[in-house]
C-alpha cells in the first residue's frame, strides 16, 4: 500500500522497506559490523559534517538495518561524508562506517538513485562517464555538463571565470584523449570482475 500524498516522505510502511538491504550492505567489506551497532551516537558526535546531513551517521546505520533502501540511497548524507575516518576510529563496535559510506555511494550510482540535483553525485557520475569515454578528464565539458544538470543559471555566473581560464590556457575546450579508450574499458571491466 502506497502512502497518501500528504504522508509521503514522512511514513514508511512495513511493506515498503527492503529486508535484504541490511544483508546486502553487511556483505560489503567493512559493512560486516552494522548489526553490532550500539546506536551510541559517537559517530554522529565526532562527524564534522553531521549538522549538514539529512540523516546523521548513527541514524543512517539504523536505517540500513531497518531496510530503508530508498531513503538511504537518495540521502545526501553519503555524499556529504568527506571520508575523514573520525567515526570509524572512534566507533566502540569497530564498524568501518567510512567504508560503508563509500559502498553506499557506489550502490546509489549503480542504481541511479542518488539525489538528482545535488552536485556531488552528479559530478562523480559525469567524471566517470567522461574518463570512461576518452581516458582523460575534460574540465570544460565536465563543468558544463554538471551545471546543466544541477543549475544551468550557474553557468552564466561562472562564464567570466571560465573565459579567463580558457584565455590563459588553464582550461581547454577540446579535451585530450588516450589512443584507444576501448583498452581502458576492458581494463576497468576486468577490475570490476575481479572485485565481484
Ligand atoms: S559509533 Fe559505532 S556503535 Fe556507535 S552509533 Fe556509530 S556506528 Fe553505531
Ligand atoms: S568519515 Fe564521513 S561519516 Fe565518518 S566522521 Fe568523517 S565525514 Fe563523518
Amino acid at each position: 500500500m502506497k502512502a497518501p500524498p500528504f504522508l509521503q516522505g514522512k511514513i514508511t510502511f512495513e511493506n515498503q522497506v527492503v529486508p535484504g538491504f541490511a544483508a546486502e550492505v553487511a556483505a560489503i567489506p567493512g559493512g560486516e559490523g552494522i548489526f553490532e551497532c550500539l546506536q551510541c551516537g559517537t559517530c554522529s558526535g565526532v562527524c564534522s559534517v553531521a549538522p549538514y546531513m539529512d540523516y546523521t551517521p548513527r541514524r543512517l546505520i539504523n536505517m540500513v538495518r531497518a531496510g530503508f533502501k530508498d531513503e538511504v540511497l537518495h540521502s545526501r548524507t553519503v555524499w556529504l561524508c568527506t571520508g575523514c575516518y573520525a567515526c570509524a576510529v572512534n566507533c566502540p563496535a569497530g564498524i568501518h562506517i567510512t567504508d560503508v559510506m563509500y559502498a553506499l555511494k557506489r550502490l546509489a550510482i549503480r542504481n541511479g538513485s542518488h539525489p538528482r540535483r545535488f552536485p556531488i553525485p552528479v559530478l562523480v557520475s559525469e567524471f566517470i562517464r567522461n574518463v570512461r569515454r576518452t581516458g582523460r578528464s575534460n574540465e570544460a565539458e565536465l563543468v558544463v555538463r554538471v551545471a546543466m544538470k544541477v543549475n544551468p543559471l550557474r553557468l552564466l555566473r561562472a562564464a567570466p571565470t571560465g573565459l579567463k581560464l580558457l584565455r590563459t590556457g588553464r582550461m581547454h575546450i577540446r579535451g585530450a584523449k588516450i589512443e584507444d579508450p576501448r583498452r581502458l574499458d576492458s581494463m576497468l571491466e576486468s577490475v570490476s570482475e575481479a572485485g565481484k
Side-chain angles (χ1 to χ4, degrees), residues 33-34 36-44 46 57-59 61 65 87-88 90-97:
I34 59 161
E36 312 304 324
C37 173
L38 313 162
Q39 286 292 292
C40 65
T42 306
C43 48
S44 306
V46 296
R58 177 201 64 77
R59 193 168 166 197
I61 299 278
R65 297 199 302 191
C87 54
N90 284 290
C91 172
I95 301 170
H96 299 195
I97 306 158

Side-chain angles (χ1 to χ4, degrees), residues 17-64:
V17 300
V18 181
F21 183 47
E24 193 180 344
V25 175
I28 295 163
E32 311 86 359
I34 59 161
F35 294 111
E36 312 304 324
C37 173
L38 313 162
Q39 286 292 292
C40 65
T42 306
C43 48
S44 306
V46 296
C47 176
S48 55
V49 284
Y52 307 102
M53 291 172 164
D54 38 10
Y55 310 115
T56 61
R58 177 201 64 77
R59 193 168 166 197
L60 196 84
I61 299 278
N62 216 21
M63 288 169 71
V64 169

Side-chain angles (χ1 to χ4, degrees), residues 116-186:
R116 284 287 152 240
R117 291 190 172 272
F118 197 51
I120 310 168
V122 176
L123 175 68
V124 172
S125 312
E126 288 302 325
F127 179 82
I128 295 169
R129 196 195 65 85
N130 204 331
V131 171
R132 284 202 88 135
R133 196 168 51 82
T134 62
R136 292 274 187 271
S137 158
N138 176 355
E139 289 96 348
E141 187 187 332
L142 194 62
V143 168
V144 172
R145 289 189 67 93
V146 172
M148 291 305 288
K149 288 192 170 175
V150 174
N151 180 359
L153 283 180
R154 276 203 191 156
L155 265 187
L156 292 177
R157 282 207 300 269
T161 312
L163 287 174
K164 262 189 220 163
L165 290 171
L166 286 173
R167 233 185 0 248
T168 52
R170 306 295 295 271
M171 197 162 74
H172 305 277
I173 290 183
R174 277 177 67 87
K177 201 173 178 179
I178 58 170
E179 261 177 39
D180 186 0
R182 279 169 311 176
R183 284 182 64 196
L184 174 71
D185 240 7
S186 60

Side-chain angles (χ1 to χ4, degrees), residues 42-44 46-50 53 56-57 77-78 80-88 97-99 101-102 105:
T42 306
C43 48
S44 306
V46 296
C47 176
S48 55
V49 284
M53 291 172 164
T56 61
T77 293
V78 290
L80 286 173
C81 168
T82 59
C84 70
Y85 284 88
C87 54
I97 306 158
T98 318
D99 298 343
M101 294 285 188
Y102 279 122
K105 284 177 202 188

